[in-house]
Amino acid sequence: QVQLVESGGGLVQAGGSLRLSCAASGSIYKINDMAWYRQAPGKQRELVARATRDGNTDYADSVKGRFTIARDNAKNTVDLQMNSLKPEDTAVYYCFLQHLITDYWGQGTQVTVSS
């Protein structure tokens, strides 16, 4: 079993920055993809950024150039640096990872961007 603990998030003004962190613990053998998703009220959960085990990354078009995902395989962590935040970035952000063939999700952390 793998547990995910998220930290970061909160309230920030438009144009500001936040950093989300996620640490995995438990019986870890091989983590494949690590990612951040978000879900705004009334909307479906969407992929924000993903980092593969070998270091490849991809981003939602809406966050390219503003967000950066950083993964540390040795520490089993994944961070999301969010810059130039916009009100439309307001959502609950979820950490995700795939361990062997099982998907795991964090509990979610609220990010609110005021205009």
Side-chain angles (χ1 to χ4, degrees):
Q1 194 73 3
V2 176
Q3 295 80 42
L4 299 179
V5 176
E6 299 166 351
S7 60
L11 174 64
V12 66
Q13 288 188 332
S17 297
L18 284 174
R19 187 175 186 88
L20 305 182
S21 297
C22 177
S25 62
S27 300
I28 296 173
Y29 298 98
K30 181 180 179 182
I31 297 175
N32 298 314
D33 287 358
M34 301 185 83
W36 287 93
Y37 285 74
R38 68 186 180 187
Q39 187 167 18
K43 295 188 177 181
Q44 289 189 332
R45 191 172 297 189
E46 64 174 356
L47 175 68
V48 177
R50 173 171 49 209
T52 66
R53 182 173 179 80
D54 57 5
N56 293 320
T57 59
D58 61 81
Y59 297 89
D61 287 343
S62 60
V63 307
K64 283 181 181 176
R66 300 188 298 121
F67 291 11
T68 303
I69 190 169
R71 172 177 176 166
D72 187 326
N73 289 335
K75 296 180 179 178
N76 296 320
T77 61
V78 61
D79 293 348
L80 184 69
Q81 178 65 42
M82 306 184 292
N83 298 328
S84 302
L85 283 160
K86 304 176 181 180
E88 50 263 44
D89 294 318
T90 296
V92 177
Y93 284 70
Y94 296 90
C95 177
F96 164 90
L97 67 81
Q98 185 185 63
H99 179 252
L100 299 178
I101 61 170
T102 303
D103 296 342
Y104 292 89
W105 294 90
Q107 78 279 7
T109 185
Q110 177 70 45
V111 171
T112 302
V113 184
S114 63
S115 57

